[in-house]
Amino acid sequence: MTGIYALAHMAVDLSCAFLMYAFVAGGEHWYIWLLAYNFCAFALQMPIGAWADRLDRNSLVAAGGCGGVLCGLVMAMAGMPAMACVIAGAGNACFHVGGGIDVLNRSGDRAALLGVFVAPGALGIALGSSIGRGGNGLTGRTMWVGIVLALALAVSAAAIHAMAGRQGIWRRSGNGPVSYGNLTFPRLAAVICFLGVVILRSYSGMVQDFPWKEELAGSTWFLVCAVVLGKMAGGFLADRIGVAQAAQRSMCAAAAGFICLMYPLTGILGVFCWNMSMPLTLWAVSRMFPGAKGFGFGLLTFGLFLGFCPVYLAGAGIRTGGAAEAAASPVGMAVMAILSMVLLTWGIRQVRE
């Protein structure tokens, strides 16, 4: 199950990134459509997750999400970028929620599967943006790439359907009665802590700047590999030494790497350790909302959208008072890592209580 969802995750995010770079970026009103896509793809996961918890057909939601992205890709190729952004974004949200709940249901108390599921998405985004960058509407090259990706999305939806049918979860996923638990003030504060960690990681990932990036051949792909492998490694480390210990060690290592980010090896190590928090936050929020995993999953992706907003506003010409420059500095990135460690450690303690 997790392997199929992981590969489908890469296909979905690759297709969405290709769509945005090949057909939307640089076009008329493209900055508005960028905001619309990110809102639909990330912010909508919270209400879609609450709906999916009750629907109890996670694989259907995920397969439908693949279909939505496929429709968005076709619309973009047909010259309808605005509708493509909305439809593909909503499809992306449905896939993440449906697949995420199934993986959370299967993982139990383990975090490793969560990292395996989420990590390929980062690789898909990097590949899709690289392939789509420089595209300018429908050309022979973009048409053939679009056709290949449409086939990949169709195969992904079919594979999810076949997997769910074999495991007997196509018509009923086994989500259980929907419940948001007893959210006392400390537990609600813990949820806010986890949301804060995701916001920091999202914002940091968009403003990070490495002085050696233009000079070191292949540096972009070294950083992409650090993101992907870091998200995978975080879950495995948590299962081995405990979530709290994994959070403390990974964030401290990330802070040390960021302080020395002027050197390629330590900078890449910092990115690797920084991204280890992804499966930890997913694990923690699923423990907070055991009867509403889709809502919890969507709550964290809403944090991704919130982290994107300051960068978007700065790009639109709205002054942010030098926040991006401060956050991208070695000290700023190290401070965010230490703050994330504090938030994670305190929040995880509330989960266990």
Side-chain angles (χ1 to χ4, degrees):
M1 174 191 288
T2 305
I4 289 173
Y5 274 132
L7 292 174
H9 190 181
M10 184 169 68
V12 166
D13 281 3
L14 196 160
S15 300
C16 288
F18 172 76
L19 183 160
M20 296 302 295
Y21 276 91
F23 299 103
V24 178
E28 187 179 6
H29 305 306
W30 74 273
Y31 219 60
I32 295 175
W33 308 136
L34 174 65
L35 179 63
Y37 168 78
N38 278 278
F39 177 82
C40 293
F42 299 109
L44 280 188
Q45 287 191 43
M46 187 163 54
I48 290 175
W51 166 71
D53 286 327
R54 297 183 182 278
L55 182 65
D56 197 20
R57 295 190 67 179
N58 306 330
S59 50
L60 175 63
V61 176
C66 292
V69 175
L70 194 160
C71 290
L73 191 58
V74 172
M75 288 179 178
M77 295 171 68
M80 296 182 286
M83 285 300 298
C85 289
V86 173
I87 299 299
N92 186 306
C94 287
F95 169 79
H96 279 79
V97 165
I101 302 173
D102 266 347
V103 174
L104 285 167
N105 285 345
R106 186 180 184 88
S107 62
D109 283 333
R110 297 172 296 165
L113 296 182
L114 307 179
V116 173
F117 170 64
V118 299
L123 180 59
I125 291 173
L127 289 172
S129 59
S130 177
I131 296 169
R133 190 174 284 114
N136 187 21
L138 187 61
T139 63
R141 173 179 171 273
T142 55
M143 179 187 72
W144 284 110
V145 173
I147 291 173
V148 170
L149 292 178
L151 289 173
L153 290 167
V155 170
S156 297
I160 291 170
H161 176 271
M163 173 275 298
R166 285 197 306 270
Q167 299 200 10
I169 57 173
W170 177 252
R171 296 190 178 278
R172 184 182 177 91
S173 302
N175 290 352
V178 175
S179 170
Y180 295 93
N182 181 23
L183 282 181
T184 60
F185 176 77
R187 291 175 68 83
L188 180 60
V191 172
I192 295 173
C193 286
F194 301 137
L195 182 64
V197 171
V198 174
I199 293 172
L200 289 174
R201 187 175 63 244
S202 173
Y203 182 69
S204 170
M206 293 182 182
V207 301
Q208 284 175 358
D209 185 30
F210 300 93
W212 39 265
K213 193 172 180 181
E214 300 299 327
E215 303 173 1
L216 179 64
S219 59
T220 298
W221 292 105
F222 286 134
L223 290 169
V224 169
C225 289
V227 172
V228 174
L229 296 176
K231 290 180 178 181
M232 285 190 179
F236 286 98
L237 181 65
D239 289 346
R240 184 172 182 83
I241 66 174
V243 179
Q245 284 290 318
Q248 293 165 9
R249 296 184 187 185
S250 62
M251 293 302 99
C252 284
F258 287 151
I259 285 291
C260 304
L261 64 75
M262 67 287 299
Y263 305 110
L265 183 60
T266 49
I268 292 170
L269 176 64
V271 173
F272 172 83
C273 295
W274 179 235
N275 282 276
M276 292 175 77
S277 65
M278 169 68 85
L280 308 185
T281 51
L282 283 174
W283 177 91
V285 168
S286 71
R287 302 282 81 74
M288 285 292 189
F289 299 106
K293 294 185 177 72
F295 172 80
F297 191 98
L299 180 65
L300 293 184
T301 58
F302 182 66
L304 294 176
F305 177 74
L306 294 178
F308 154 83
C309 285
V311 180
Y312 176 85
L313 294 174
I318 298 176
R319 299 181 62 183
T320 56
E325 292 78 6
S329 68
V331 173
M333 292 170 65
V335 167
M336 285 193 286
I338 295 300
L339 178 57
S340 295
M341 181 195 70
V342 173
L343 294 175
L344 278 169
T345 301
W346 188 86
I348 291 168
R349 184 178 303 135
Q350 307 311 309
V351 172
R352 298 197 179 283
E353 293 178 357

